[in-house]
Every structure is written in C-alpha cells, then in structure tokens.
Amino acid sequence: MSSPLRNGDTPPPRLPSPAVGRHHFHSTVSEKKIRRLNALILLLRLAAFCFSLAAAIFMATNSSRSPGSHSWLHFHPFRLVLASNAIVAVYSFFEMVSSIWEILKGVTLFPEPLQLWFDFSHDQVFAYLLLAAEAAATVEAQGLKGAHTCSPESAFCVQAYISVALGFAGFAFLALAALGSGFRVACYVITGSRFHL
Amino acid sequence: MSSPLRNGDTPPPRLPSPAVGRHHFHSTVSEKKIRRLNALILLLRLAAFCFSLAAAIFMATNSSRSPGSHSWLHFHPFRLVLASNAIVAVYSFFEMVSSIWEILKGVTLFPEPLQLWFDFSHDQVFAYLLLAAEAAATVEAQGLKGAHTCSPESAFCVQAYISVALGFAGFAFLALAALGSGFRVACYVITGSRFHL
C-alpha cells in the first residue's frame, strides 16, 4: 500500500516540476506551504469529525423508553441524519489517520493519485450527502413543531434541533476540506505532483 | 470591464507558463484542450439552465384558482425550490452569455482572476443552495402524501414531484460545472493562467 518513490521525503529533485528552474528556494518554500496546507486540511477534518460525531450521538440518544414518546427511529429524515453523520465521522477519522501518516512519514497511505482522488471525491460526495440530510431534517423538525409533537415536557424537539445544527457545522468544515483536497487534485493533474505550490 | 492583455487571442508567448519550455506544441495542444473544456462547461451550464428553468416554471404554475385547492405559496420548502431554481436559471443564463463571449472574443467578460473566482464560488454556493432546497422539498412532498393532500383529482402533488426531480437534475449539472470552473481557478492559482493544461 506504499506510494511510489516520487512520494518520498525529499521529492523536489525527482519531480518533473517546472518550478524548480524558476527559483532555487522552491524546495523549502514549497515544503513549508505543503505542511501548512496539510495541517489546515487536518484541522478541518478534526472539526468535521467532532461536529458530525456529536450530531450522530445527539440524534442516536434522542428517544425515551416511556410509552407514547417519540424516537428518531420513527422519522425517516432523522434516520438519514444519524446515518450520514456516522458515515462522515468514520470517514473523517480515517482521513485524519491518513493525514497524520502523511505528515509523519512524508508518503501518502495509498499511492499518490489514488489517495488524492479518493480524498476529493469522498469529501465532495459526503458534503452533498450531509447537506441534503440536514436540509431534510430541518423540514421534518419544522413539521413536528406544527403538529404539536414538541410539548414543553419533552426534550425530543430541542435535541433534534441541536443535532441538525451540529450536522450543519460538520457540513461546513467538510465542504472547506473538500476545497483543500480539490486543490491538491488539481495540483496533481496540472503539474504531476501534489508538491507543486 | 475588459480583461488585461494576457487574456488575448494568442496568449502562450506572453505567459510565464512553465510548460512552454517543455514542448513546442504547447500552444496548439493547449488551445484545443481549452476549447474543449470551455465547450464542456458551456454545455453543462445549458443543461443546468434548462432543468432549473423547467423546475421553476413547474413549481410556479402549481396552483389552481378553485377554492380549497393547494398552491406552492402555502409551503415554505416549495417557495424555496422556486426561488433557488429561478436564481440558478438566471445565473446560468448569465454564465452562458459570458462563456459564449469568451469563446468568440478570446477574453473573459470580467478581468480574468475575478471571472474565474466569480464562476467557481457561485457555482459551488448555488449547487449547495439548490441541493438543500430540493432535499427540503422532497420531505415536504412526502409529508403531503401522508396527510392525504394528494387526492387523485388534484395534480398538485405530481407537479411538485416533477419540479423537485427537475431541480435535482439541474443540481447535478451545476455541480459538474462547479468541478470544471474549480479546475480553471486551480489552474490560475498554480500556473498564473487558465490557459495551462
């Protein structure tokens, strides 16, 4: 699963990067920028992970055992929120491990092109999935209010609102991470290396 | 409103493009690829325009004058669908004019960096807006079915479903156009020119 040799610790001499000839400081300047971009993406993924995990937990615990009470299981959009937030949390955790691996070892977990395309496509698709789920759950929550399901004694609606809000925050960070990973893919497509900045 | 000179008809000699030194056919090969990318984006915008316009019209005409009948005006998500589809249709039309201008004149309508960032940011934001609106309207339409609003005599629900489906198709094409314009922005950021391919 290790990446090709071009993906090593001291990549610039091996790369067909057209910028090498332009200035001698390419190596150090680029490395600094790469580290900053990688750290930024890692930070965004950490935020997306925290928010989506919290949203999933809030939704999963949103039911009581007393008879006649409501549960997230009875509402399709709330199920979708739980599922998509859980998926995003697991994915973000995996991506964080992969990012830390890349920062520590200097090589990507999968071969470079596969890793870049995997990151970007999943970021983008999961961001769309999460947004659709949260928008659907917002309408459902609004409908509950109209149907008098939200009694003052029951925390069901409040907990559902909090879960949806946390999910929206998770979406925002995932969408920003998608911009970063999209830029890395474009870098790779245009220059043949994610190291060109 | 005209762009700077680097944005002319025969750009490669004026550009600091690092690819020029690599192969002599950069100019013709690149121009062909640029034309293909621009034509592809134009095609995607045309599709997004058609679908979102159709969705907006379907939703706007979804009401009858008979008393007791339903109208899209009574449902917030359906209003959102109409508004976002109308916005996307107007935006796509403007972008098509801008694309045709670029193909005919060889220069962008706004200065190059502004145009590229404008295209990408609006594509991405409007794609998210449209997806959220359609997801919300899907839940609302499902709720209508459960509440027995959809009688066999009334075409209200069917017309709402069709509008939502057309909106989803518009979203798909807009999201693909966002990929294309995102690639153009990345090109510009990395190489200093959208002409580098």
Side-chain angles (χ1 to χ4, degrees):
Chain A
M1 275 309 202
S2 76
S3 69
L5 266 174
R6 68 135 64 105
N7 206 0
D9 248 324
T10 53
R14 291 185 222 150
L15 290 167
S17 167
V20 174
R22 272 193 290 178
H23 47 78
H24 293 292
F25 297 110
H26 169 76
S27 167
T28 48
V29 171
S30 256
E31 259 180 38
K32 227 185 229 176
K33 282 189 183 172
I34 293 154
R35 267 187 219 154
R36 216 177 291 165
L37 180 65
N38 280 350
L40 180 70
I41 293 179
L42 180 59
L43 214 72
L44 290 170
R45 289 199 190 289
L46 178 66
F49 170 74
C50 293
F51 280 108
S52 55
L53 185 68
I57 290 173
F58 259 77
M59 190 54 84
T61 56
N62 199 9
S63 61
S64 70
R65 301 234 172 122
S66 60
S69 67
H70 297 284
S71 162
W72 58 271
L73 264 169
H74 306 143
F75 304 95
H76 281 292
F78 291 169
R79 288 187 195 193
L80 186 59
V81 163
L82 175 58
S84 53
N85 274 300
I87 289 170
V88 168
V90 169
Y91 166 73
S92 294
F93 183 76
F94 167 76
E95 282 290 330
M96 279 197 295
V97 170
S98 159
S99 271
I100 292 169
W101 174 282
E102 192 183 331
I103 288 168
L104 290 181
K105 304 249 175 178
V107 294
T108 49
L109 201 61
F110 300 139
E112 195 176 9
L114 178 64
Q115 176 83 52
L116 295 176
W117 281 109
F118 178 89
D119 290 357
F120 173 60
S121 57
H122 283 79
D123 281 351
Q124 193 72 52
V125 169
F126 287 154
Y128 285 136
L129 174 70
L130 203 53
L131 178 65
E134 303 302 335
T138 305
V139 174
E140 188 75 19
Q142 283 287 325
L144 286 184
K145 213 193 231 170
H148 306 293
T149 312
C150 298
S151 65
E153 306 87 48
S154 148
F156 182 76
C157 285
V158 177
Q159 200 165 334
Y161 294 154
I162 292 172
S163 172
V164 169
L166 288 169
F168 270 118
F171 154 74
F173 287 110
L174 190 61
L176 289 175
L179 288 184
S181 58
F183 184 75
R184 272 160 54 114
V185 167
C187 240
Y188 185 80
V189 169
I190 294 163
T191 69
S193 156
R194 80 200 142 89
F195 289 104
H196 182 99
L197 273 173
Chain B
M1 278 303 201
S2 78
S3 71
L5 267 175
R6 67 137 64 111
N7 205 0
D9 247 324
T10 53
R14 292 186 221 150
L15 289 169
S17 166
V20 175
R22 272 193 293 178
H23 48 79
H24 292 293
F25 297 109
H26 169 78
S27 167
T28 46
V29 171
S30 257
E31 260 181 36
K32 224 184 230 175
K33 281 189 183 172
I34 293 153
R35 265 187 219 154
R36 216 177 290 165
L37 180 64
N38 281 349
L40 181 68
I41 292 178
L42 179 60
L43 214 72
L44 290 171
R45 292 200 188 289
L46 179 67
F49 170 75
C50 293
F51 279 108
S52 55
L53 186 69
I57 291 172
F58 259 77
M59 191 53 84
T61 56
N62 198 10
S63 61
S64 71
R65 302 233 172 124
S66 61
S69 68
H70 297 284
S71 162
W72 58 271
L73 263 169
H74 305 144
F75 304 95
H76 282 292
F78 290 169
R79 289 187 194 192
L80 186 60
V81 163
L82 175 58
S84 53
N85 275 299
I87 289 170
V88 168
V90 170
Y91 166 73
S92 294
F93 184 76
F94 167 77
E95 282 289 330
M96 279 197 295
V97 171
S98 158
S99 270
I100 291 167
W101 175 282
E102 192 184 329
I103 287 168
L104 290 181
K105 304 246 173 179
V107 293
T108 49
L109 202 61
F110 299 138
E112 195 177 9
L114 178 65
Q115 177 83 53
L116 295 177
W117 281 108
F118 178 89
D119 291 358
F120 173 59
S121 56
H122 283 78
D123 281 352
Q124 194 72 54
V125 169
F126 287 155
Y128 285 137
L129 173 72
L130 203 53
L131 178 64
E134 303 303 335
T138 305
V139 173
E140 188 75 20
Q142 284 287 324
L144 286 183
K145 213 194 229 169
H148 305 294
T149 312
C150 299
S151 65
E153 305 88 48
S154 148
F156 182 77
C157 285
V158 176
Q159 201 165 332
Y161 294 157
I162 292 171
S163 172
V164 169
L166 288 169
F168 270 119
F171 154 74
F173 287 110
L174 192 60
L176 289 175
L179 287 184
S181 57
F183 184 75
R184 271 161 53 116
V185 168
C187 241
Y188 185 81
V189 169
I190 294 163
T191 69
S193 155
R194 79 201 141 89
F195 289 104
H196 182 100
L197 272 173

